[in-house]
Amino acid sequence: MSTTKHIGNIDGNPYRLFTNLTPIHQDITLIMPKLENPGEDIYEGYTNLVFEIKEPTKVVTLNAKGIEFDFAFVRAGEEENIYDEQPAVEIEVDDKKEIVNFYFPEEIVGVNTLRITFHRKFNPPNKMRGLHQSTFKLPSGVEHVMAT
């Protein structure tokens, strides 16, 4: 019988993250398109999140809003070990709670690295959450688009 638990969140609040995961380090790489169509351009990227799991689980829950997840896998430790990778068997996004659950076939515990690939549209300039596109003009009158 499995000892997997989806560890309860803080004070039973469904909008708070679970306390079973402690982040250690995260790096994010963004792959930017040529910015031409404000409101339509899509960026993509990947992240490596090193974290510690206190009690064995098959589920990792993170905050997420408006992100499309392409792929995720977890591996034990902080170093690259391609022989120990577990791809997520399901990625479940809850837009209302602004969370994503990554489900893995085997329990994880201790220090692990989660690698996620994702993409999303830029936010319009009037929504100041996440990356958004803005325009600016040079003194010559030439208009450019930038991401901030």
Side-chain angles (χ1 to χ4, degrees):
M1 176 175 225
S2 174
T3 59
T4 297
K5 293 190 244 175
H6 197 84
I7 304 302
N9 42 20
I10 299 170
D11 300 326
N13 182 336
Y15 298 95
R16 298 289 303 269
L17 289 182
F18 299 100
T19 59
N20 192 35
L21 182 147
T22 302
I24 297 170
H25 174 80
Q26 182 175 21
D27 63 67
I28 301 173
T29 300
L30 298 177
I31 300 147
M32 306 300 279
K34 184 175 180 183
L35 301 174
E36 296 177 333
N37 303 302
E40 297 301 319
D41 289 324
I42 294 175
Y43 65 92
E44 55 190 48
Y46 59 90
T47 184
N48 291 302
L49 173 62
V50 180
F51 59 91
E52 183 175 8
I53 293 285
K54 297 173 189 117
E55 295 185 43
T57 185
K58 292 184 179 184
V59 183
V60 173
T61 303
L62 301 174
N63 291 111
K65 180 167 176 78
I67 299 174
E68 299 288 329
F69 296 93
D70 302 313
F71 183 77
F73 67 81
V74 69
R75 64 176 174 262
E78 297 181 46
E79 303 297 320
E80 293 229 8
N81 182 356
I82 61 171
Y83 302 106
D84 195 26
E85 293 176 355
Q86 282 193 66
V89 293
E90 181 181 359
I91 300 173
E92 174 190 51
V93 177
D94 185 329
D95 291 324
K96 182 179 179 210
K97 294 179 186 173
E98 299 181 3
I99 61 170
V100 58
N101 293 310
F102 298 95
Y103 295 91
F104 296 98
E106 296 177 28
E107 290 182 334
I108 56 176
V109 69
V111 175
N112 292 271
T113 300
L114 177 64
R115 169 108 175 191
I116 305 167
T117 60
F118 59 89
H119 65 276
R120 93 170 271 188
K121 277 186 175 183
F122 286 96
N123 280 330
N126 62 341
K127 294 199 177 189
M128 301 305 281
R129 177 183 263 181
L131 285 178
H132 61 278
Q133 288 175 282
S134 299
T135 58
F136 66 95
K137 283 188 182 180
L138 296 176
S140 65
V142 176
E143 187 171 88
H144 291 275
V145 181
M146 66 178 178
T148 58

